[in-house]
Amino acid sequence: LRFLVARQKSIQEFYSDLRGSYSPMREDESPDEYNGLVMSTVHRAKGLEFKNVVVAADFRWKVIESSFMNDAIHCDEANILYVAITRSKCNLYFTEEASKCLTRLSVLTKVRIRLHSSSSLRSNEMKFRVWLRKWEGFKKNPNIIESVEDVIFPPEWDNDQYPFALHPQMSLAEQRNNVRAIRLAYHPDQFLPKFGGAIRSTMVREEIKKVLENITRRCTDIWSSFNVEGES
């Protein structure tokens, strides 16, 4: 909108200029087949993927940063940004404002991980037991899955310091058992056939699948570090 105001153009005039400059994508044409620039809102792009994506600067970055600093459990603006970022298959580009915001969030994340690294063995074992109890309940009575947040994921799966609530003071056998349990539970080939029927939309299914793939990849990397071969 700031772009249009600066050029004293209405949305209708801007759209008319675009139609005169570009051939619109046909309804039966996929993004990969279309040889042109696709301009879209995040909501309209749900379920689609593109080789190259440019994230515009019209997100409410202060809202996202504020929710992060205040440990907010849910932030609509952050969820919309997540959808935008995950539309890219190859290259992802940000405006300067977007890049600065994400850099600040990245720095804050690293600080939190360093603070979290002081967690005790007991607290990590408790996190794993809590996850296991919730996971057993989820398996017995899976509700309708309308978003990624409805899935019970393993504890700290994206924590670089102590993923899956593992701890250096745990025995190697205990760490192996925990990683094995998580890998069997969250492998896409195991999870999706069991719970796919509860997932209400293709977009949510794809988002969940990406998380499952990341968790499985993480498990594989950790398992490799145990120097164990021939086990599953």
Side-chain angles (χ1 to χ4, degrees):
L1 292 177
R2 288 195 296 266
F3 176 87
L4 297 179
V5 171
R7 287 157 180 76
Q8 297 183 342
K9 285 192 173 185
S10 66
I11 294 178
Q12 290 80 5
E13 290 173 329
F14 181 61
Y15 180 69
S16 177
D17 290 344
L18 285 179
R19 287 189 62 88
S21 303
Y22 301 101
S23 299
M25 186 170 66
R26 302 190 310 272
E27 292 185 1
D28 62 342
E29 192 174 23
S30 71
D32 288 336
E33 296 171 332
Y34 177 64
N35 185 25
L37 175 68
V38 177
M39 298 187 67
S40 171
T41 63
V42 177
H43 292 286
R44 290 294 299 273
K46 285 182 178 179
L48 300 177
E49 288 185 321
F50 306 89
K51 291 181 179 179
N52 304 290
V53 170
V54 179
V55 177
D58 53 351
F59 288 89
R60 294 180 295 170
W61 303 108
K62 291 184 179 180
V63 172
I64 297 175
E65 287 189 56
S66 176
S67 68
F68 187 90
M69 292 296 296
N70 295 319
D71 291 321
I73 296 176
H74 183 78
C75 175
D76 288 333
E77 196 71 8
N79 290 340
I80 295 172
L81 175 61
Y82 172 80
V83 173
I85 291 174
T86 54
R87 297 312 94 200
S88 170
K89 295 195 295 184
C90 298
N91 301 304
L92 181 62
Y93 303 94
F94 296 99
T95 60
E96 184 177 358
E97 184 178 358
S99 181
K100 286 180 179 179
C101 174
L102 293 175
T103 299
R104 288 193 293 271
L105 293 180
S106 176
V107 172
L108 290 172
T109 301
K110 292 176 181 178
V111 170
R112 291 188 173 196
I113 290 175
R114 286 198 297 271
L115 292 174
H116 182 72
S117 65
S118 61
S119 61
S120 66
L121 170 62
R122 175 176 292 184
S123 67
N124 280 26
E125 288 177 333
M126 179 60 71
K127 287 177 183 178
F128 190 85
R129 286 196 293 269
V130 169
W131 161 76
L132 190 58
R133 185 174 66 250
K134 291 182 178 180
W135 171 247
E136 291 299 328
F138 180 82
K139 286 196 300 181
K140 292 179 182 178
N141 187 27
N143 296 317
I144 295 174
I145 301 174
E146 296 182 343
S147 70
V148 177
E149 288 78 11
D150 293 332
V151 179
I152 303 299
F153 288 117
E156 309 287 349
W157 72 266
D158 55 351
N159 186 325
D160 291 331
Q161 189 71 24
Y162 296 147
F164 308 131
L166 299 176
H167 197 279
Q169 294 179 10
M170 287 180 179
S171 68
L172 186 57
E174 186 177 3
Q175 293 187 58
R176 289 175 182 171
N177 288 336
N178 289 358
V179 172
R180 181 188 289 113
I182 291 172
R183 185 171 63 174
L184 289 175
Y186 291 96
H187 193 287
D189 293 343
Q190 297 289 333
F191 185 96
L192 293 176
K194 289 181 180 178
F195 306 108
I199 303 174
R200 284 306 179 91
S201 75
T202 302
M203 184 200 73
V204 173
R205 183 185 179 91
E206 289 303 310
E207 291 178 354
I208 291 174
K209 184 179 179 182
K210 288 182 179 180
V211 176
L212 297 175
E213 290 172 345
N214 288 333
I215 292 173
T216 302
R217 190 178 304 113
R218 204 78 189 276
C219 286
T220 301
D221 292 342
I222 295 172
W223 191 261
S224 299
S225 70
F226 293 151
N227 293 320
V228 176
E229 297 182 0
E231 293 189 32
S232 60

